[in-house]
Amino acid sequence: MVVVVAAAVAWEAGKPLVMEQVEVAPPQAMEVRIKVKYTSLCHTDVYFWECEGQTPLFPRIFGHEAAGIVESIGEGVTDLKPGDHVLPIFTGECKECRHCKSEESNMCDLLRINTDRGVMINDGKSRFSIKGKPINHFLGTSTFSEYTVVHVGCLAKINPAAPLDKVCVVSCGISTGLGATLNVAKPKKGSTVAVFGLGAVGLAACEGARIAGASRIIGVDLNPNRFEAAKKFGVTDFVNPKDHQKPVQEVIGEMTDGGVDRAVECTGNINAMISAFECVHDGWGVAVLVGVPHQDAIFKSKPINFLNERTLKGTFFGNYKPRTDIPNVVEMYMKKELELEKFLTHRVKFSEINKAFDLMLKGEGLRCLITMD
């Protein structure tokens, strides 16, 4: 049956969200309706809300970093039941396609991220409406609503003992940065790691380097105000490119006797990407690109940098498969290996969700937790 709930609707680009009474339809085949308990604001929400250089798709319910409880399931759903604790994920795992069956990929053919789709895959329709008018979905999750409908392949079933107000951040940014280091860069114990960009994703990459036992973690950022907080994530050295006359890769090379063992780039700035690649040591250095650049950006580096045995890799969602791997990331937190509390710097009620946008636009804090109840 249809439920009527509160949701924060974006009616147009860049304008404050409006709390509305929204009808949420029941789940169809291979879909699940969940009660969202906590959600947080990720920069991706803000980017598409501002809608600069993208296809405008309004009205829309944003939100994709969240935790909730299964309320009802649609036909064909066998591995989830009402009451299960879940994290909705902006990308999916159908478990049937070549990507899902490959140990090397997490880029599902069916459920890969699609920022332009505002409807469900099953029937091409929205599950949200206001007085019969459809409201667009976002990333298949739309967690800025008390209830939402998600494809079963985009839900990670997690340990019911895990506190949902902490692990909700695992569903996007934290896993992206953490996995970029642990799954892709794979620093050995005692190695040196440079991380470009000390926002939430970059600090999650630093957290991965800390967990891996890196001896030095060099944080690179243009904002000196981020340096003190980064120490909590294991960062030992700081470089602000604005403080130097020479390219930052040269600065890092001099600091580390020829370059770091691993570098992780989390800004999406093409120059930072080139610096990250060129700052790793020849012979064994590996650089991993996480940040999403402008679609027309071009990466330029001399071929000799590759021939001298430096490796450049890219990653999507930290190479984690949502259903298979994300429950294990939650377990890392439960075993006190991964620290999540330090990412949560602010908390607001759902009715005050626009405050979370204000905080992010001012560059204050890392993650603002939005409490739905």
Side-chain angles (χ1 to χ4, degrees):
M1 97 183 161
V2 171
V3 292
V4 180
V5 303
V9 178
W11 287 99
E12 53 184 306
K15 294 289 171 66
L17 306 189
V18 181
M19 298 304 293
E20 304 278 10
Q21 291 295 300
V22 174
E23 297 114 35
V24 184
Q28 302 299 310
M30 302 309 287
E31 294 173 3
V32 177
R33 190 162 66 187
I34 67 169
K35 178 176 174 62
V36 180
K37 297 292 287 181
Y38 298 95
T39 185
S40 52
L41 181 63
C42 169
H43 189 264
T44 305
D45 296 303
V46 176
Y47 182 71
F48 283 91
W49 166 74
E50 289 176 329
C51 199
E52 290 175 14
Q54 309 127 34
T55 314
L57 205 59
F58 295 94
R60 199 169 203 181
I61 296 173
F62 286 104
H64 65 283
E65 202 172 77
I69 298 172
V70 174
E71 177 259 355
S72 56
I73 60 174
E75 184 188 342
V77 175
T78 56
D79 52 354
L80 287 174
K81 64 185 187 302
D84 283 343
H85 288 207
V86 290
L87 301 182
I89 313 283
F90 65 89
T91 184
E93 182 185 354
C94 72
K95 299 197 175 183
E96 301 293 328
C97 70
R98 285 177 66 192
H99 282 278
C100 286
K101 288 179 175 176
S102 163
E103 290 180 6
E104 298 179 47
S105 176
N106 66 335
M107 301 184 75
C108 176
D109 280 331
L110 178 69
L111 299 168
R112 192 180 303 190
I113 184 172
N114 183 338
T115 58
D116 290 335
R117 187 173 62 233
V119 293
M120 298 300 289
I121 286 176
N122 182 37
D123 59 359
K125 293 179 182 172
S126 173
R127 302 288 173 261
F128 299 113
S129 60
I130 297 177
K131 296 176 183 167
K133 177 184 170 64
I135 307 294
N136 287 295
H137 292 249
F138 179 63
L139 300 185
T141 51
S142 290
T143 60
F144 294 166
S145 172
E146 290 177 324
Y147 282 76
T148 187
V149 177
V150 181
H151 191 286
V152 67
C154 296
L155 289 168
K157 180 182 174 182
I158 62 165
N159 182 344
L164 295 178
D165 62 333
K166 307 296 190 298
V167 298
C168 82
V169 293
V170 167
S171 64
C172 178
I174 308 313
S175 295
T176 297
L178 185 75
T181 303
L182 294 178
N183 298 337
V184 190
K186 297 180 180 174
K188 296 183 174 124
K189 191 169 185 184
S191 58
T192 53
V193 180
V195 176
F196 288 71
L198 298 177
V201 174
L203 290 172
C206 296
E207 180 78 352
R210 182 190 69 78
I211 291 167
S215 61
R216 281 179 87 184
I217 303 172
I218 301 169
V220 183
D221 201 290
L222 296 169
N223 182 354
N225 296 331
R226 288 179 159 178
F227 291 167
E228 190 58 37
K231 291 177 184 173
K232 291 187 209 163
F233 299 84
V235 175
T236 56
D237 302 76
F238 304 98
V239 177
N240 183 341
K242 289 195 283 196
D243 292 343
H244 302 274
Q245 298 297 314
K246 60 181 76 167
V248 70
Q249 53 265 49
E250 290 181 25
V251 176
I252 292 171
E254 288 169 9
M255 290 169 66
T256 55
D257 190 23
V260 288
D261 302 309
R262 302 289 186 264
V264 184
E265 191 288 321
C266 303
T267 70
N269 178 288
I270 196 70
N271 295 318
M273 293 180 169
I274 294 165
S275 296
F277 174 54
E278 295 184 354
C279 82
V280 300
H281 206 290
D282 58 6
W284 61 79
V286 178
V288 179
L289 305 185
V290 181
V292 181
H294 187 277
Q295 61 186 11
D296 297 326
I298 294 172
F299 185 97
K300 287 183 180 178
S301 188
K302 292 176 180 171
I304 194 70
N305 287 321
F306 292 92
L307 297 172
N308 283 341
E309 299 179 10
R310 292 179 181 88
T311 301
L312 180 65
K313 293 183 171 185
T315 180
F316 168 70
F317 192 50
N319 276 44
Y320 284 121
K321 291 180 186 280
R323 296 160 86 181
T324 303
D325 299 331
I326 293 305
N328 299 329
V329 178
V330 170
E331 291 310 309
M332 285 175 68
Y333 168 74
M334 297 299 281
K335 292 176 193 163
K336 297 187 163 50
E337 294 164 12
L338 169 65
E339 298 168 10
L340 293 176
E341 284 85 355
K342 57 197 179 186
F343 289 98
L344 294 161
T345 51
H346 295 84
R347 186 184 279 246
V348 299
K349 291 188 278 196
F350 186 38
S351 58
E352 301 172 324
I353 190 169
N354 287 304
K355 281 188 185 173
F357 279 76
D358 292 340
L359 287 165
M360 185 159 280
L361 291 170
K362 287 178 191 162
E364 291 180 21
L366 294 173
R367 279 292 186 267
C368 181
L369 185 73
I370 299 156
T371 306
M372 305 303 280
D373 290 336

